[in-house]
Amino acid sequence: MTAMSPSERRLHKELMSLIKEPPPGVTVDTESVQQNLSEWKLNIKGFEGTLYDGEDFQLLFKFNNKYPFDSPEVTFIGNNIPVHPHVYSNGHICLSILTEDWSPALSVQSVCLSIASMLSSCREKKRPPDNALYVKTCNKNPKKTKWWYHDDSV
Amino acid sequence: MSFILELITSFVRKMLELLTFGGKTLTNTLKIYVKTNTGRTLTVNLEPQWDIKNVKELVAPQLGLQPDEVKIIFAGKELSDATTIMQCDLGQQSTLHAIRMRPPTIQREKLLSMSLEEEEPTGTPTEEASKPLNETLLDLQLENDERLNITDEYRVRAKAHFFVHCGQCDKLCNGKLRVRCSLCKGGAFTVHRDPECWDDVLKPRRIPGHCESLEIACVDNAAGDPPYAEFYFKCAEHVSGGEKDFAAPLNLIKNNIKDVPCLACTDVSETVLVFPCAAQHVTCIDCFRQYCRSRLGDRQFMPHPDFGYTLPCPAGCEHSFIEEIHHFKLLTREEYDRYQRFATEEATPPPPCGTLGSVVCSALPQS
């Protein structure tokens, strides 16, 4: 505890507040976090009254030692990847705050809120148009993708 | 009763002295140089509890004057008799200026002769002795209305505090603000008003004053307008190496008087870096280093046409580039070397020396 780096200190604080006051529909998989502070698994529920009502998803957050000056790597994992125009079937998410619009003033909580609102505002369950090609050719790390954000509404 | 009081005051004084000098000196006596405008320099030993009247009594006979014929100038202010040495942020081997008061008749004559040629210079201020600048100056972060409505309690906390990168100590140090004449560079200079913002301190020709460093007062132009003050900084953590021992002011580093949490680690630190963006984003010094380190690793510093190789606010705000690149000296020596190498490779000529404040780059060892 004594020799925590600034990025570990920040993660520790975020984790505490996320466990204490989680945003609606989000729970932390504390077991995963206890093993490794730099990889968190979060459960997120599809909200009532949206296309994802009753579904459960799992998000994986990976942090490097530059966090929060560098964005976390965030992907959907598990066997239920939401079918959404900005979510590829390998779990990669096209969301600008995860790359170029990231700011250290954002947090795990604000990323969760953005993802929840992205899901909630969806009108039609479908994969991105280039899903097949992207999934075949992309890097494992979604942050290595040169995203082309074309939809500012989410 | 008075015995107990004395005991208490001497105890408090001892504590204060410990605070002021960080317990570095065994004896609190300060060896101080006193410069006159006739080219003499006296060396005197001053006790922290002495006041300026004592100093005058000590110095005047050596100059062949009466104590009330002498005025003492330090850091842009003529010091009042009641000011104690402790109140001035004097370090060992600092310099005070002792000037013979001009007999009032001569001044009047001079003014008359001036007004014959030109209109009388506007607002010749009445000069009066005051407390030292470090006592009166409020933190430059404060807005004008905050300055006016300040409570006494807050005033103590809001006293101006400066940080420098000291080449000799090779670290972030407390800094001391000093004032000299922009023309003759002499220190027997009194300002017409206190600086109220960083531009007042860093930019030239903002605050006029009165120079008595030479026998004939400096004038800015043929019309006889007063000269401007030039502000510079010294490191408060090592014994002064003379009047040319400058340190680079780190104007973005501030005392966190408003208790703003760090943008990155969310801790509330005592000393912070406030980015020059409209939102005034704050990071603690550790997180600032981490930010620089991470951007340096990815070679994401930007070559700015005016400031050099620099970084914006980590939140990506507009118009938030760090102008004073000495802030990057907060990195370790190896990291700073790397920063300089990258900067050279990106081939943006660094800004000319002395554009900010009066930092003379020769005083900063080039690593």
Side-chain angles (χ1 to χ4, degrees):
Chain A
M1 287 296 271
T2 43
M4 276 207 278
S5 71
S7 92
E8 283 170 327
R9 277 211 312 270
R10 154 91 179 230
L11 281 174
H12 196 77
K13 274 193 189 174
E14 280 202 55
L15 185 61
M16 288 301 132
S17 80
L18 207 59
I19 291 171
K20 238 197 246 164
E21 294 166 58
V26 176
T27 48
V28 187
D29 181 344
T30 40
E31 207 171 301
S32 76
V33 177
Q34 269 162 8
Q35 285 170 8
N36 186 354
L37 191 64
S38 63
E39 282 199 24
W40 304 7
K41 283 182 190 154
L42 266 65
N43 302 309
I44 180 164
K45 270 187 185 330
F47 287 122
E48 244 177 75
T50 71
L51 297 179
Y52 305 95
D53 188 0
E55 289 187 70
D56 287 310
F57 307 108
Q58 208 170 28
L59 284 167
L60 176 68
F61 279 72
K62 285 189 188 173
F63 308 94
N64 62 22
N65 59 7
K66 293 176 196 162
Y67 184 80
F69 295 109
D70 201 359
S71 62
E73 186 188 318
V74 186
T75 49
F76 279 104
I77 53 165
N79 41 27
N80 191 21
I81 307 284
V83 179
H84 184 282
H86 294 168
V87 181
Y88 290 88
S89 55
N90 63 353
H92 286 194
I93 309 165
C94 176
L95 185 64
S96 66
I97 60 161
L98 294 179
T99 50
E100 62 182 45
D101 287 341
W102 169 257
S103 142
L106 297 173
S107 61
V108 174
Q109 166 142 0
S110 52
V111 170
C112 286
L113 288 172
S114 286
I115 292 176
S117 98
M118 180 185 93
L119 293 178
S120 300
S121 63
C122 181
R123 303 250 176 89
E124 188 191 351
K125 274 184 156 184
K126 61 172 186 192
R127 290 278 176 222
D130 56 339
N131 186 58
L133 180 69
Y134 176 76
V135 170
K136 235 185 279 170
T137 56
C138 73
N139 190 295
K140 253 177 79 183
N141 180 354
K143 287 173 67 179
K144 297 255 156 71
T145 303
K146 267 253 164 273
W147 295 103
W148 186 36
Y149 303 106
H150 46 276
D151 183 356
D152 289 335
S153 67
V154 284
Chain B
M1 198 59 201
S2 68
F3 168 73
I4 298 173
L5 259 177
E6 239 175 66
L7 209 75
I8 295 171
T9 45
S10 80
F11 175 73
V12 170
R13 204 169 275 160
K14 279 268 153 57
M15 295 307 285
L16 276 173
E17 284 163 23
L18 273 179
L19 279 178
T20 330
F21 303 110
K24 270 183 209 153
T25 42
L26 286 172
T27 144
N28 292 324
T29 307
L30 290 169
K31 185 181 161 197
I32 300 293
Y33 301 113
V34 179
K35 275 183 111 170
T36 70
N37 60 351
T38 53
R40 284 183 67 186
T41 302
L42 312 172
T43 308
V44 293
N45 291 316
L46 304 180
E47 299 297 331
Q49 68 272 21
W50 285 10
D51 59 24
I52 291 301
K53 196 158 187 282
N54 297 138
V55 178
K56 287 179 181 175
E57 283 160 0
L58 182 74
V59 170
Q62 300 191 51
L63 302 173
L65 298 169
Q66 292 300 313
D68 58 6
E69 286 180 300
V70 176
K71 60 180 173 185
I72 302 290
I73 296 175
F74 171 65
K77 291 292 178 89
E78 182 194 337
L79 301 179
S80 63
D81 279 356
T83 305
T84 62
I85 297 302
M86 217 188 302
Q87 285 175 310
C88 312
D89 58 351
L90 278 172
Q92 284 290 354
Q93 301 179 21
S94 292
T95 305
L96 291 176
H97 297 268
I99 302 297
R100 183 186 185 162
M101 299 260 197
R102 275 164 220 240
T105 45
I106 294 176
Q107 233 170 15
R108 210 173 300 138
E109 264 175 36
K110 233 179 127 191
L111 272 180
L112 272 174
S113 66
M114 245 193 264
S115 59
L116 285 177
E117 296 157 19
E118 283 283 334
E119 258 185 67
E120 199 168 312
T122 44
T124 310
T126 49
E127 277 164 43
E128 49 184 62
S130 71
K131 285 184 165 185
L133 192 63
N134 60 295
E135 283 278 312
T136 56
L137 197 59
L138 288 174
D139 198 291
L140 301 178
Q141 295 166 71
L142 296 175
E143 305 288 334
N144 266 340
D145 49 332
E146 290 174 307
R147 280 166 193 280
L148 294 172
N149 305 318
I150 199 160
T151 62
D152 284 351
E153 201 182 324
Y154 193 58
R155 182 177 284 275
V156 178
R157 216 181 152 198
K159 235 194 228 176
H161 203 98
F162 299 101
F163 295 94
V164 294
H165 178 272
C166 172
Q168 189 175 324
C169 304
D170 196 23
K171 66 179 181 73
L172 175 68
C173 288
N174 288 300
K176 304 187 284 193
L177 180 65
R178 293 292 179 259
V179 184
R180 60 182 184 179
C181 172
S182 60
L183 299 173
C184 73
K185 311 292 181 196
F189 188 93
T190 42
V191 287
H192 287 174
R193 68 170 175 90
D194 282 6
E196 285 170 2
C197 58
W198 269 104
D199 277 356
D200 279 350
V201 173
L202 295 179
K203 299 206 166 137
R205 303 182 70 81
R206 297 274 296 203
I207 295 185
H210 179 54
C211 179
E212 292 173 85
S213 309
L214 306 171
E215 294 261 27
I216 300 159
C218 292
V219 286
D220 190 56
N221 50 26
D225 284 337
Y228 284 92
E230 190 171 280
F231 293 91
Y232 62 100
F233 290 85
K234 294 174 83 92
C235 170
E237 296 180 29
H238 71 258
V239 172
S240 173
E243 286 182 324
K244 293 208 168 66
D245 183 13
F246 302 130
L250 302 184
N251 58 313
L252 301 182
I253 311 276
K254 292 165 192 188
N255 258 354
N256 194 3
I257 53 172
K258 293 176 186 174
D259 289 329
V260 184
C262 167
L263 172 77
C265 70
T266 68
D267 283 346
V268 177
S269 302
E270 203 175 311
T271 312
V272 291
L273 187 138
V274 183
F275 282 89
C277 52
Q280 298 192 305
H281 282 127
V282 162
T283 64
C284 65
I285 306 301
D286 262 359
C287 285
F288 173 68
R289 290 197 179 99
Q290 208 213 348
Y291 171 52
C292 296
R293 219 167 270 146
S294 78
R295 291 296 181 266
L296 196 61
D298 298 341
R299 250 188 129 119
Q300 280 176 332
F301 276 61
M302 316 262 202
H304 187 283
D306 301 324
F307 312 155
Y309 200 48
T310 188
L311 281 177
C313 165
C317 301
E318 277 192 322
H319 311 299
S320 63
F321 282 103
I322 293 173
E323 189 171 342
E324 172 53 273
I325 56 170
H326 285 105
H327 285 97
F328 302 122
K329 287 244 178 192
L330 295 175
L331 288 164
T332 64
R333 193 155 275 251
E334 296 79 55
E335 286 163 345
Y336 188 75
D337 285 350
R338 212 157 142 232
Y339 160 82
Q340 283 198 312
R341 209 173 55 238
F342 287 174
T344 324
E345 284 167 19
E346 307 272 325
T348 309
C353 282
T355 46
L356 270 179
S358 352
V359 174
V360 177
C361 275
S362 60
L364 302 159
Q366 293 293 310
S367 41

